């Protein structure tokens, strides 16, 4: 995932074209989806971390805190399928 400049909001990774996923099936499809989910969770965690560090609205910070807990748990589940966070491929 690209690293954001200090103080900048991290970006979420680009999603692949539907044609890429349509060309896959079975284990290849599952593995690619896990890679995409994992990359998306990394981006989400970066954004949530930035909000928790820099945000001021308590409602938004509360939502960010809830998202962090959920995304952390889901990322751990994804890692049981692939090992530590895979690098997305195109």
């Amino acid at each position: 995932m690209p690293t954001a400049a200090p103080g900048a909001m991290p970006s979420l990774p680009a999603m692949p074209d539907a044609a890429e996923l349509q060309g896959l099936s079975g284990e290849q499809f599952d593995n690619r989806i896990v890679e995409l989910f994992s990359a998306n969770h990394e981006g989400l965690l970066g954004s949530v971390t930035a909000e928790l560090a820099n945000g001021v609205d308590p409602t938004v910070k509360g939502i960010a805190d809830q998202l962090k807990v959920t995304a952390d748990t889901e990322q751990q589940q994804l890692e049981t399928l692939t090992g530590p966070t895979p690098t997305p491929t195109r």
Side-chain angles (χ1 to χ4, degrees):
M1 187 179 119
T3 303
M9 182 66 74
S11 62
L12 294 174
M15 293 303 293
D17 295 333
E20 175 191 350
L21 294 175
Q22 289 174 347
L24 302 174
S25 63
E27 190 174 333
Q28 286 181 326
F29 181 85
D30 290 343
N31 289 338
R32 184 66 177 125
I33 289 293
V34 168
E35 287 176 352
L36 293 170
F37 285 172
S38 186
N40 185 274
H41 279 72
E42 277 189 37
L44 173 63
L45 286 167
S47 297
V48 163
T49 300
E51 172 58 30
L52 292 171
N54 302 310
V56 294
D57 185 308
T59 301
V60 176
K61 288 182 77 127
I63 293 168
D65 193 46
Q66 291 173 0
L67 285 171
K68 183 173 183 344
V69 170
T70 301
D72 279 338
T73 300
E74 291 172 352
Q75 187 65 28
Q76 289 172 5
Q77 291 172 331
L78 291 168
E79 287 178 3
T80 65
L81 299 172
T82 63
T85 306
T87 302
T89 57
R90 277 197 134 294

